[in-house]
Amino acid sequence: MSSSSRNPTLITARLSPPGQMSRISDDQERILEYNFGHLTKTPDGITLEIIAAESGLSVEETAKWFQNRYALWRQKEGLPPNSGRVTD
């Protein structure tokens, strides 16, 4: 096979815009939802690192997911999405 007849494999990368997380897989979402529902809604730094490692996401992506999920949960409970405590 000559070098002129080879088709190089085209690899493209899609980057999410700054501040926007890429779509997570079903397995990652299952892991995050399990931890949110059974472990904690507001994980500390060490717990975030463990969940991030388990899900294959970065700590920043995991923290952002928990922040958004917590706000959604509060909203569904009829609470302000960003206040600190349930009694606020």
Side-chain angles (χ1 to χ4, degrees):
M1 181 187 274
S2 69
S3 62
S4 62
S5 65
R6 289 187 201 153
N7 278 336
T9 303
L10 181 61
I11 299 173
T12 57
R14 290 180 291 159
L15 300 176
S16 299
Q20 182 179 353
M21 189 168 85
S22 60
R23 178 77 180 127
I24 60 174
S25 72
D26 291 341
D27 287 338
Q28 289 169 324
E29 187 170 15
R30 182 184 49 76
I31 291 166
L32 294 169
E33 284 289 349
Y34 177 83
N35 282 288
F36 184 84
H38 292 91
L39 185 62
T40 180
K41 292 181 180 18
T42 55
D44 60 21
I46 297 294
T47 306
L48 271 175
E49 288 183 30
I50 293 168
I51 296 169
E54 182 180 0
S55 66
L57 297 169
S58 70
V59 173
E60 293 79 15
E61 289 172 321
T62 304
K64 186 67 172 177
W65 186 91
F66 269 90
Q67 178 184 3
N68 291 339
R69 183 64 177 84
Y70 185 68
L72 181 64
W73 174 80
R74 288 185 60 83
Q75 187 178 39
K76 285 182 179 180
E77 293 293 316
L79 303 167
N82 294 324
S83 67
R85 294 179 291 173
V86 175
T87 59
D88 289 347

